[in-house]
Amino acid sequence: MAEQRWDQGGGREAREESQVVGTRWGRRVLPEEVRAWEELVATARRTVADGLVVGTSGNVSLRVGDTVLVTPSGVPYDRLTPDDVTGVDLDGRQVLGTLVPTSELPMHLAVHRTTDARAVVHTHAVHATAVSTLVTELPAIHYMTEALGGPVRVAPYATYGSDELAENMLQALTDRSACLLQNHGTMAYGATLDQAYDRTAQLEWMCRLWLTASSVPGLSPSLLSAEQLREVGEKLRGYGQRG
């Protein structure tokens, strides 16, 4: 096995050759999968550090070719090492690692199979989860609603890890890049882990904003109209640096 080491800051010194991980699944881990696993673990740790996850309550996935790397079930993220690479194919068959994949694998695979997502982040963020118990759609409290594709829907409740929950989530994600899961949390995807994470953080912030504004006695927050959101959508298409 190629020797791997992460320092305390989450960095890695990695040989470029492939490594064999574990004994249960014999496929060699490709160099790009080694790098992707490091990125995935760093993002998972960030969800805890930023208060979006408590313990092991969320999960993260990153697609590399036809393999989906996922956080394992019930393992604190600060204990994950380079030898813990966990991966499945798009049908859910484990092809890398000895640790059991996240119990929310059906949701992750549903996103990877039906969208152009490369990365998926699921959290139990407190404000977003609170909103999921109150409404069927997050009111358009801020123009960044449009950055997620439009008003964020709430997927109806179903037992965690179930195919029913995965199907409910897909319906809520139609033409959106994030959704709320009723009495459960958030789901967001992107072309990169940074994008998926940023969308998750943005959704939690908007939920906190709406809860804060809604808590003022005798007043109701103003909301943006569909036309106002359309105008924002036009501006967002030209936002950022042009390379």
Side-chain angles (χ1 to χ4, degrees), residues 53-166:
V53 161
V54 176
T56 62
S57 60
N59 27 78
V60 179
S61 66
L62 180 62
R63 182 173 175 176
V64 182
D66 291 330
T67 298
V68 179
L69 304 181
V70 294
T71 47
S73 178
V75 180
Y77 301 139
D78 61 356
R79 298 182 190 173
L80 292 175
T81 73
D83 290 342
D84 293 325
V85 177
T86 305
V88 300
D89 64 20
L90 289 170
D91 293 321
R93 291 184 292 265
Q94 190 160 0
V95 296
L96 292 173
T98 59
L99 297 176
V100 176
T102 172
S103 58
E104 298 291 11
L105 188 60
M107 279 204 298
H108 286 265
L109 291 180
V111 175
H112 286 293
R113 285 195 296 252
T114 59
T115 74
D116 59 357
R118 183 171 173 262
V120 179
V121 174
H122 166 53
T123 79
H124 292 179
V126 63
H127 298 94
T129 305
V131 169
S132 79
T133 70
L134 298 172
V135 294
T136 58
E137 182 179 275
L138 174 63
I141 189 71
H142 193 271
Y143 67 78
M144 285 302 287
T145 296
E146 192 64 19
L148 300 178
V152 177
R153 306 183 187 99
V154 179
Y157 180 81
T159 304
Y160 81 91
S162 66
D163 291 335
E164 180 184 4
L165 177 59

